[in-house]
Amino acid sequence: MTGLLFGSFFVLMFLGVPIAVALGLAAVIAIVAGLNSSLIVTAQSMFNGINSFPLMAIPFFILAGNMMGEGGISKKLVTFVNLLFSRITGGLAMVAIGASMFFAAISGSCPATTAAIGGIMVPEMKDSGYEKTFAAATVAAAGTVGQVIPPSIPMVTYCVLANTSVSTLFLAGVGPGLLMGLTMMVVAYLYAKKHNVPVIKEKKSPKEVLHICLDSMWALIMPVIILGGIYSGIFTPTEAGAVAAVYGMVVGLFVYKELKWRDIPKVVCNSAVAASVIMLIMATVSTFGYVLTMARIPQVIAASLLSFTTNKYVLLFLFNIVVLIAGCFLNSSAAIALLTPILLPVLTSVGVSPYMVGIVFIVNMAIGMITPPVGNCLYVACNIADIKFEALVKAIMPYLIALIISLLAITYIEPISMTLVNLLG
């Protein structure tokens, strides 16, 4: 059964079948040929897989991120962060990273963060003395925090599958997201120092600083509204997504006035397409999971791993290797949906918190966004900077090493993730 399920899945993937379809067809083949069961369970399991209130947060957060990207909020964030870092060595690269961290608290998506900040910062960095490939690598790497700093679309997916609290995992993502940002800023500083990138010495008057702060206020309070509303109990994470979408539309239309009424149908359609891809994956992976459960594959894999070692630190290291490799070939939603039912029971059986498993999983998937061949953020950055994929892969290596170091710290130093959870959870 295991060979039939995974064999057909990988053959379909090799043939170029979309991941959602490959998951569903592999499950159908196993149901018909292996379980000798009725195909009605396919429809039932697909429906049950998406019949979840928390999953409604996904289309709302995608819509909110797109509204804010079109509405000029990313420009206001870049202008504000520029006040903090522009006069430091490597300051413009730090601005790109810092602005991405702010935008991550709005969009919940890595590619969206790279696209929103990259379109502004890559030309600016190039004109200021940075190599174009490094500028593109910076915005691609900075985009990885998009799914670590809450709100995060992959976190919602994981929590639905793991039956855990979305708001608690959101809290666990704050520390890791900040650590990733800081390590990338160190890389930016060392690069600028080595290549003698000139420092911007333009001074702004107190009046100009005040104007920028006030103009950016509507963008800056967005994360406060989302996260403050969740943790104060005013609304759930799903309701927070709806509030964020409405807020983004209002600010874009009436405050910054960069979002036009004629743009809204396009934004809604793009958001619907992006959300439907994730929902289809969640539906088909539910059928895939049904086969896994009926064939007791997770229990077999768990028993095999635990017979090898019961040391949770070794298992966490193996977990990182497996998920990093998966991230090279699968997008976040597919990898989380596929691997969570298999690997989560193994780690929780040796005392690892499901929230720690979740945050380590999410960070691995974020790193997967800048690892070939799938690396979505790499392709977005290539299009923005108009450079070859191979050149960007070479330029991204210092950031990739820094992020892997951050991953190991997050994996083995639990307070990085769990301090806020223990204080506020």
Side-chain angles (χ1 to χ4, degrees):
M1 176 62 70
T2 303
L4 182 63
L5 181 66
F6 286 99
S8 56
F9 171 69
F10 285 116
V11 168
L12 289 166
M13 285 283 291
F14 179 76
L15 293 174
V17 176
I19 179 71
V21 179
L23 286 166
L25 284 178
V28 168
I29 291 169
I31 288 170
V32 173
L35 296 179
N36 196 26
S37 181
S38 170
L39 280 178
I40 196 171
V41 301
T42 303
Q44 291 172 337
S45 59
M46 288 181 70
F47 176 79
N48 291 333
I50 57 176
N51 184 27
S52 169
F53 179 72
L55 278 180
M56 291 177 63
I58 292 175
F60 284 135
F61 279 124
I62 291 174
L63 179 59
N66 288 340
M67 286 286 187
M68 292 173 188
E70 291 287 332
I73 286 180
S74 55
K75 295 179 183 178
K76 304 301 179 182
L77 291 174
V78 168
T79 303
F80 175 78
V81 177
N82 196 47
L83 289 177
L84 306 177
F85 296 107
S86 63
R87 300 181 65 197
I88 304 173
T89 300
L92 271 185
M94 293 182 187
V95 169
I97 296 165
S100 296
M101 294 168 71
F102 273 104
F103 195 80
I106 296 171
S107 72
S109 165
C110 293
T113 302
T114 298
I117 304 303
I120 302 168
M121 290 306 304
V122 168
E124 189 74 19
M125 290 174 67
K126 181 186 173 185
D127 293 342
S128 299
Y130 292 84
E131 293 179 3
K132 187 162 65 170
T133 52
F134 183 80
T138 299
V139 296
T144 60
V145 299
Q147 67 181 31
V148 180
I149 292 179
S152 164
I153 294 167
M155 283 185 184
V156 176
T157 303
Y158 171 84
C159 288
V160 170
L161 292 167
N163 194 27
T164 54
S165 166
V166 175
S167 57
T168 301
L169 192 59
F170 277 5
L171 271 181
V174 175
L178 294 175
L179 176 62
M180 291 167 67
L182 288 173
T183 55
M184 287 188 285
M185 286 183 181
V186 171
V187 173
Y189 175 84
L190 294 175
Y191 169 88
K193 201 76 172 174
K194 179 180 178 181
H195 292 84
N196 295 317
V197 176
V199 177
I200 298 173
K201 297 183 178 180
E202 177 189 359
K203 290 186 178 180
K204 296 188 182 298
S205 67
K207 184 178 179 180
E208 289 176 312
V209 171
L210 179 61
H211 174 74
I212 290 172
C213 290
L214 291 175
D215 196 36
S216 305
M217 178 183 67
W218 295 99
L220 295 172
I221 64 174
M222 184 67 245
V224 178
I225 293 173
I226 295 174
L227 300 179
I230 292 172
Y231 296 115
S232 64
I234 297 174
F235 39 69
T236 66
T238 300
E239 293 164 344
V243 170
V246 173
Y247 180 90
M249 184 176 69
V250 171
V251 171
L253 285 171
F254 304 115
V255 180
Y256 296 141
K257 299 180 180 178
E258 294 196 24
L259 179 66
K260 308 300 179 184
W261 286 105
R262 64 177 178 271
D263 298 328
I264 291 180
K266 180 186 71 173
V267 171
V268 172
C269 287
N270 290 341
S271 302
V273 170
S276 65
V277 170
I278 296 173
M279 290 301 187
L280 182 58
I281 291 173
M282 292 297 294
T284 54
V285 85
S286 180
T287 305
F288 197 91
Y290 168 81
V291 177
L292 288 175
T293 302
M294 294 301 294
R296 298 184 58 82
I297 293 173
Q299 291 87 336
V300 172
I301 293 174
S304 300
L305 286 172
L306 293 173
S307 67
F308 173 70
T309 180
T310 57
N311 186 305
K312 71 175 183 180
Y313 301 107
V314 175
L315 287 172
L316 280 168
F317 185 75
L318 295 174
F319 174 71
N320 277 327
I321 292 174
V322 170
V323 179
L324 275 175
I325 293 172
C328 293
F329 301 97
L330 301 173
N331 64 39
S332 297
S333 297
I336 291 169
L338 181 62
L339 296 177
T340 297
I342 298 173
L343 298 178
L344 179 61
V346 177
L347 292 167
T348 54
S349 69
V350 294
V352 182
S353 163
Y355 296 105
M356 275 299 298
V357 176
I359 202 62
V360 173
F361 210 146
I362 298 301
V363 173
N364 272 289
M365 288 295 99
I367 294 173
M369 288 290 178
I370 57 169
T371 54
V374 170
N376 292 341
C377 288
L378 295 177
Y379 293 105
V380 173
C382 281
N383 290 333
I384 292 171
D386 192 24
I387 59 176
K388 292 184 178 180
F389 184 79
E390 296 80 5
L392 181 54
V393 170
K394 182 178 179 180
I396 203 79
M397 292 309 296
Y399 284 117
L400 185 58
I401 292 169
L403 288 172
I404 290 175
I405 292 171
S406 296
L407 170 64
L408 292 174
I410 292 162
T411 302
Y412 293 113
I413 305 175
E414 190 170 307
I416 294 173
S417 302
M418 302 305 290
T419 296
L420 278 179
V421 172
N422 295 333
L423 288 174
L424 303 174

